[in-house]
Amino acid sequence: MSATTDIEVLYKRPAESYPYNMDFAPKLDDDETIESVTSWISTPAGLTLGSTSAVGKQAQCRLSAGTDGTKYLQVVVAVTNLGNVVQMEGYLFVRDAAYS
């Protein structure tokens, strides 16, 4: 497993609702994939988190709502097919392009 301090940066508009991916590839070996997502936490409050899933080297969660102009910290913990527990952090910026 390679060490990394990469941070994902995601964007959405307040009215949007669809699956977002957190890419764990920089932290995983070539033959390693995400088997399950054990937690997906968002702070501050205001973003709606839906169901999570594992897709290859990515964790996925349906994100909706959020307050325009807010930066949400995303902390995702997952288990790999090799039994490793990995964590990624990222920021989701909610911006309504019509008012930016």
Side-chain angles (χ1 to χ4, degrees), residues 37-84:
V37 179
T38 58
S39 70
W40 189 303
I41 300 168
S42 179
T43 56
L47 193 65
T48 301
L49 304 178
S51 60
T52 61
S53 61
V55 181
K57 294 183 180 285
Q58 298 181 342
Q60 189 176 80
C61 182
R62 177 169 291 277
L63 303 177
S64 58
T67 303
D68 185 37
T70 303
K71 175 176 72 173
Y72 295 91
L73 173 64
Q74 307 298 298
V75 179
V76 182
V77 179
V79 177
T80 74
N81 62 317
L82 301 179
N84 296 318

Side-chain angles (χ1 to χ4, degrees), residues 81-98:
N81 62 317
L82 301 179
N84 296 318
V85 176
V86 290
Q87 178 176 320
M88 287 284 294
E89 292 82 24
Y91 289 102
L92 174 75
F93 292 90
V94 175
R95 298 282 188 265
D96 191 337

